[in-house]
Amino acid sequence: MTAQRILKMGNPVLRQVASKFEEDEILSEDTKTLLEDMWDTLELAGGIGLAAPQIGVSKQLAIIELSSESERYPEAEASDAFIIFNPQISVIDNDLQGFWEGCLSVPGLRGYVERPKKIKIDYLDEFANQQSIVLEEFLATVFQHELDHLIGMLYVDRMEDVGTLMFEDEMDLLDEVGEDEILD
Ligand code: ZN
């Protein structure tokens, strides 16, 4: 169990389409170790989600947990801990919602991104069992952000207006952006 270095934008692994897991591979000791490393890395970084490519493993795995103790997201409600292998996303409501997104692989920056507000995700859990969840509002955006990492995309690619990209310390000086509209 070791926290790993988080790759930053510019590292080509973040731009690869990640490969799927075989079912027996999900249950393997190697994958258990990978998951432990990912949770340790996420906890140390203080984020709410992490995808395997962010620590250099180009495989379709992401973890997400909203902690009520997050300093970065003081108003976020706590969520279950999600472990997502081989996800398939379907859009249920194509109406868009916007949040100020950040990313552990794009440190220090935030950008405004609009995404569909209701989605369904079919995936395999850590026991290789098929699962399906419907997500809306903040969690819908969090999942879409994390799962984009599995197809080589970063939130900056989803920005309609690159002019909204800003440094966090500049954003802190502004009043108009509510804390509840921010994620990474
Ligand atoms: Zn990210």
Side-chain angles (χ1 to χ4, degrees):
M1 291 199 287
T2 323
Q4 304 289 311
R5 184 176 86 85
I6 297 175
L7 306 186
K8 294 201 269 294
M9 183 166 64
N11 188 299
V13 174
L14 294 173
R15 294 311 197 168
Q16 292 170 7
V17 176
S19 57
K20 285 193 181 210
F21 282 78
E22 302 292 337
E23 281 192 28
D24 56 353
E25 196 182 359
I26 291 174
L27 304 171
S28 72
E29 285 303 314
D30 282 355
T31 299
K32 281 202 185 76
T33 303
L34 171 61
L35 268 170
E36 285 168 1
D37 286 353
M38 286 175 67
W39 284 116
D40 287 349
T41 304
L42 182 61
E43 190 180 342
L44 189 67
I48 56 181
L50 187 74
Q54 291 181 278
I55 58 166
V57 179
S58 190
K59 302 281 291 179
Q60 291 188 21
L61 167 61
I63 58 173
I64 291 165
E65 184 173 22
L66 273 59
S67 162
S68 55
E69 283 144 41
S70 169
E71 282 181 22
R72 285 170 76 87
Y73 307 100
E75 299 184 18
E77 281 182 44
S79 76
D80 293 335
F82 295 97
I83 298 171
I84 308 282
F85 290 92
N86 300 352
Q88 296 268 16
I89 299 187
S90 330
V91 173
I92 294 178
D93 185 343
N94 227 337
D95 285 350
L96 300 177
Q97 60 180 2
F99 287 97
W100 288 91
E101 299 192 20
C103 181
L104 296 173
S105 293
V106 190
L109 291 168
R110 303 277 188 178
Y112 192 73
V113 183
E114 290 188 319
R115 300 178 187 268
K117 69 181 183 190
K118 192 168 183 182
I119 56 169
K120 178 165 84 86
I121 300 174
D122 296 295
Y123 64 100
L124 297 174
D125 65 17
E126 71 269 41
F127 308 108
N129 292 324
Q130 188 71 47
Q131 301 285 350
S132 183
I133 43 170
V134 172
L135 299 157
E136 51 194 329
E137 300 176 352
F138 188 61
L139 266 181
T141 283
V142 172
F143 273 72
Q144 287 173 84
H145 173 118
E146 293 308 327
L147 301 187
D148 266 355
H149 282 297
L150 307 182
I151 55 169
M153 290 196 73
L154 298 171
Y155 79 83
V156 291
D157 308 327
R158 301 282 191 192
M159 290 175 66
E160 187 87 356
D161 176 7
V162 174
T164 67
L165 195 63
M166 66 168 98
F167 285 96
E168 285 171 340
D169 51 3
E170 291 291 340
M171 181 175 261
D172 289 343
L173 302 174
L174 300 174
D175 290 336
E176 64 231 47
V177 179
E179 290 277 1
D180 56 342
E181 294 176 324
I182 298 175
L183 88 140
D184 73 352

